[in-house]
Amino acid sequence: MSRTQTWRIAITLLLVLASLYYAWPTINYWTLDQSAKDRMGESNPAQLFKMKQEAIRLGLDLQGGMHVVMRVQQEKLGDKAGSDAVDRALEIIRNRIDQFGVTEPIIQKSGGDRIIVELPGFTDTERAQKLIGETAQLQFKLLETSENANLLLSKIDKAMAEMKLTLESIQPEAYKNSPAAATTPKTTDSSKVDVMADLLGKKSSDSLKDTTSLTTEEIEKPLTSFLEPLPGTTAPEYSIESEMIPNLKAILDKPEIKKLIPSDVEIAVGTRSQIISGRKMTYVYVLKSRVQMSGEYLVDATPQNDQFGKPTVSFQLTREGGRIFSRVTGPNINKPLAIVLDGKVESAPNIQDRIRDRGQITMGSGATFEEARGLSIVLKAGALPAPVEIIESNVVGASLGTDSIHKGLTSSLIALVLVLLFIGVYYRLSGVIADIGLLFNLFFLLAAMAALRSTLTMPGIAGIILTMGISVDSNVLIFERIREEMLTGKTIRASIDAGYDRALLTIIDSHVTTLITAAILFIFGTGPVKGFAVSLFLGVAISLYTALVITKAIFDIRKGYQSLSI
């Protein structure tokens, strides 16, 4: 065996080992059934995420996802600040999605104030809104003292009692859209409402609660009777039934109530709900309005689990931020510090010690590791320059993705089998060698896509099918040249050498032109077009190697044969 042949075989073996290394996560992940993935997601979400990231990922057309249209609310900024707000928002949203690991997203500007986002694998509108729609203004605030909080709530109770208001008596949507929102809601004639309800055969859900059914506590304390102090703390932290949150906000927005709340105090709600004693509850906090420190000093945020397995977000501050945080936490040890994101309280843990440039955000009760990771992403990517609103969201169902995958795999297998059979029958043993090269080509291609974290889309599958034809075409050119040389009476060795030499320039020319086309499609294309370009470029480059190295190594061994099956 010549030195050249040895090098060819050695390089091919190294490529096979490398391909097995990169292809294994894909094989491991996609052979797991959904129940196993769910169990791993609960026991070790970090490992599942890593496995998913290393495997070949599917695009929007294969696995489903979301199409979201957002509007940047430039009117909330000044003319100068709002001029480039959409472009800045576009980059920040792109950074968030890239860090989250969404496969082959489409993020583009539309018109003067809109951004279009396509998220493969996303079907949860609320989660998508948290990922790309949160302004992500991080603030740290101290809680008000219990004495001041109780005094404020008592004043609100008294004012509501004088206005004959309860949390249940106000209708948030009607209140919000009413032109008389600043006035006390009109009382409703309960007898008329009951008559209409009787005629309709049901109770009217819009009628106000009958005040005669209220308890004494609900009449005298129309707000605090619904607020339940959290056990184990003397800080002004409460829980309220989640369905009452819109009513609470409507009450607090009334001018008569607003004027009772000092400018240095605010009442804020928690970011999520949890089940307490069979009821869905949300936390409510009485905070000092002053921002002790903002998220502008944040330089890094990492999700992790604490010693109790609860999700947290560890963060790192700049040197200046560390000095500020030290001055805030030092004098307030054993006091709660609220972590506020976009006006909602994530949690309010007690300060255990002076914190400088490194700290930890304790996620609220009921938070998951995915929520901690999402929070770390939006914090690292930075705050949006202006609020955004989702004005349209369409979900591509999983059934469409499953159907597309099935059709794509079926077409690929049919194409592969037909090509293998035709080449094997027409060129006999030499055709089998070409089939071996084609299988190597597909194996190397899938491994390369996994190594480069590429995304498989339906156009990408089309590119793979096209690659099969191109790979076989190279061998067809070589085989025909060898046949021509053998017809002239040359030996098998001379025919093989001459066949490869004569076909070399043609093969390189056709492959290079196709590579240039694929590169142009990748550079100027978007979304699925890029998927087609990636699979085509990689497939063509690999087919050049398999034709000129792998099959050539096998034919070099056949040079000593007395006859050649071709």
Side-chain angles (χ1 to χ4, degrees):
M1 184 181 294
S2 67
R3 181 176 297 180
T4 302
Q5 287 178 299
T6 303
W7 275 109
R8 285 173 180 167
I9 295 173
I11 293 174
T12 301
L13 289 176
L14 288 175
L15 288 175
V16 170
L17 292 176
S19 298
L20 286 172
Y21 173 79
Y22 286 110
W24 172 246
T26 298
I27 299 171
N28 193 18
Y29 179 77
W30 290 111
T31 53
L32 282 178
D33 56 30
Q34 190 58 45
S35 59
K37 292 178 183 178
D38 293 339
R39 288 193 299 270
M40 184 180 291
E42 294 176 359
S43 60
N44 195 344
Q47 180 182 352
L48 179 63
F49 175 74
K50 181 180 178 182
M51 185 186 301
K52 185 177 180 181
Q53 287 295 97
E54 293 177 348
I56 292 179
R57 297 168 290 183
L58 302 181
L60 182 68
D61 52 354
L62 294 183
Q63 66 173 326
M66 290 190 63
H67 171 84
V68 182
V69 179
M70 300 178 297
R71 187 180 74 85
V72 180
Q73 299 175 338
Q74 296 172 287
E75 65 274 8
K76 296 189 176 182
L77 302 174
D79 293 338
K80 185 176 181 180
S83 59
D84 63 343
V86 177
D87 293 330
R88 286 184 289 149
L90 187 71
E91 290 305 313
I92 291 172
I93 290 172
R94 191 187 307 278
N95 289 337
R96 291 182 182 181
I97 293 174
D98 288 345
Q99 292 180 49
F100 198 79
V102 178
T103 60
E104 200 165 287
I106 296 176
I107 309 163
Q108 58 189 18
K109 185 177 177 181
S110 175
D113 61 350
R114 297 191 179 187
I115 297 174
I116 296 176
V117 179
E118 288 188 357
L119 304 174
F122 261 70
T123 56
D124 189 339
T125 305
E126 182 179 355
R127 189 177 173 199
Q129 186 171 9
K130 284 186 176 181
L131 174 66
I132 60 179
E134 283 186 340
T135 309
Q137 294 286 355
L138 177 66
Q139 299 174 331
F140 295 89
K141 297 182 179 182
L142 294 171
L143 269 67
E144 187 55 84
T145 62
S146 297
E147 294 78 11
N148 290 344
N150 290 334
L151 180 60
L152 172 61
L153 296 177
S154 296
K155 289 182 179 180
I156 296 176
D157 273 335
K158 184 179 178 181
M160 289 177 62
E162 292 176 352
M163 298 163 64
K164 292 184 171 53
L165 281 178
T166 68
L167 284 183
E168 292 182 324
S169 70
I170 193 166
Q171 301 172 32
E173 291 302 321
Y175 165 80
K176 180 178 178 180
N177 298 322
S178 172
T183 63
T184 304
K186 296 179 181 180
T187 59
T188 305
D189 188 336
S190 60
S191 63
K192 292 182 180 178
V193 174
D194 290 340
V195 169
M196 291 301 298
D198 289 338
L199 290 173
L200 294 173
K202 59 182 180 179
K203 290 185 178 180
S204 172
S205 60
D206 294 331
S207 62
L208 301 182
K209 185 174 180 179
D210 187 354
T211 56
T212 59
S213 66
L214 297 176
T215 64
T216 304
E217 183 183 19
E218 289 176 333
I219 294 175
E220 295 178 352
K221 299 179 179 180
L223 174 62
T224 54
S225 62
F226 289 90
L227 297 177
E228 301 177 13
L230 296 186
T233 180
T234 58
E237 303 176 54
Y238 312 90
S239 64
I240 187 174
E241 292 190 26
S242 299
E243 63 181 15
M244 301 303 296
I245 291 296
N247 303 53
L248 174 63
K249 292 180 177 179
I251 288 289
L252 296 177
D253 280 342
K254 289 186 67 60
E256 296 91 339
I257 304 300
K258 271 187 175 181
K259 68 181 181 181
L260 298 177
I261 303 176
S263 59
D264 60 345
V265 177
E266 65 177 290
I267 299 176
V269 301
T271 55
R272 63 183 59 82
S273 304
Q274 65 172 320
I275 304 300
I276 302 177
S277 301
R279 296 181 298 164
K280 189 177 182 182
M281 308 293 285
T282 300
Y283 289 161
V284 178
Y285 305 83
V286 182
L287 310 175
K288 294 181 178 179
S289 298
R290 181 185 176 188
V291 178
Q292 302 296 326
M293 195 185 75
S294 67
E296 63 180 297
Y297 301 103
L298 191 88
V299 294
D300 192 23
T302 306
Q304 59 186 29
N305 291 320
D306 61 15
Q307 64 268 31
F308 303 108
K310 295 182 178 180
T312 61
V313 176
S314 297
F315 62 86
Q316 182 178 352
L317 304 171
T318 62
R319 182 174 298 180
E320 181 183 358
R323 289 195 295 266
I324 296 174
F325 212 37
S326 176
R327 291 197 298 268
V328 172
T329 56
N332 293 290
I333 294 176
N334 295 325
K335 294 180 181 179
L337 179 67
I339 302 166
V340 184
L341 183 68
D342 290 346
K344 291 185 176 182
V345 179
E346 179 62 45
S347 63
N350 281 344
I351 301 172
Q352 303 294 335
D353 201 354
R354 183 186 295 270
I355 303 174
R356 291 179 172 83
D357 60 342
R358 295 180 183 271
Q360 190 177 76
I361 297 176
T362 304
M363 302 292 290
S365 300
T368 64
F369 185 83
E370 282 298 312
E371 289 177 315
R373 194 166 71 87
L375 175 60
S376 68
I377 287 172
V378 297
L379 292 179
K380 283 193 291 187
L384 290 173
V388 299
E389 60 175 335
I390 295 179
I391 59 178
E392 179 187 342
S393 62
N394 300 317
V395 178
V396 178
S399 59
L400 175 61
T402 304
D403 184 59
S404 298
I405 292 174
H406 177 72
K407 290 180 179 178
L409 289 177
T410 301
S411 61
S412 299
L413 289 175
I414 292 174
L416 177 61
V417 170
L418 290 177
V419 170
L420 292 176
L421 287 175
F422 176 79
I423 297 298
V425 171
Y426 189 79
Y427 289 104
R428 294 178 288 184
L429 182 58
S430 296
V432 173
I433 295 173
D435 289 343
I436 294 173
L438 174 58
L439 294 177
F440 269 107
N441 191 0
L442 293 176
F443 177 57
F444 288 158
L445 173 57
L446 294 177
M449 292 182 69
L452 297 174
R453 305 287 176 87
S454 300
T455 301
L456 184 63
T457 62
M458 183 59 76
I461 293 177
I464 293 174
I465 296 174
L466 179 59
T467 296
M468 295 181 193
I470 294 175
S471 177
V472 170
D473 182 59
S474 301
N475 287 287
V476 168
L477 287 172
I478 294 170
F479 295 165
E480 291 299 325
R481 294 294 182 271
I482 293 176
R483 277 182 171 181
E484 291 174 0
E485 297 299 325
M486 291 179 65
L487 290 175
T488 62
K490 290 184 178 179
T491 64
I492 291 176
R493 177 183 295 274
S495 297
I496 291 174
D497 289 337
Y500 270 94
D501 289 342
R502 289 181 59 192
L504 179 63
L505 291 178
T506 305
I507 292 173
I508 292 177
D509 180 65
S510 63
H511 280 64
V512 168
T513 53
T514 307
L515 287 174
I516 293 173
T517 303
I520 293 173
L521 286 175
F522 181 82
I523 294 171
F524 296 101
T526 59
V529 176
K530 281 182 176 287
F532 174 79
V534 168
S535 62
L536 180 62
F537 188 93
L538 293 175
V540 170
I542 294 171
S543 71
L544 192 62
Y545 176 84
T546 56
L548 300 181
V549 177
I550 295 180
T551 59
K552 179 67 164 62
I554 299 175
F555 268 91
D556 284 343
I557 298 174
R558 302 177 71 195
K559 286 180 179 180
Y561 290 5
Q562 296 298 320
S563 62
L564 190 64
S565 176
I566 190 169

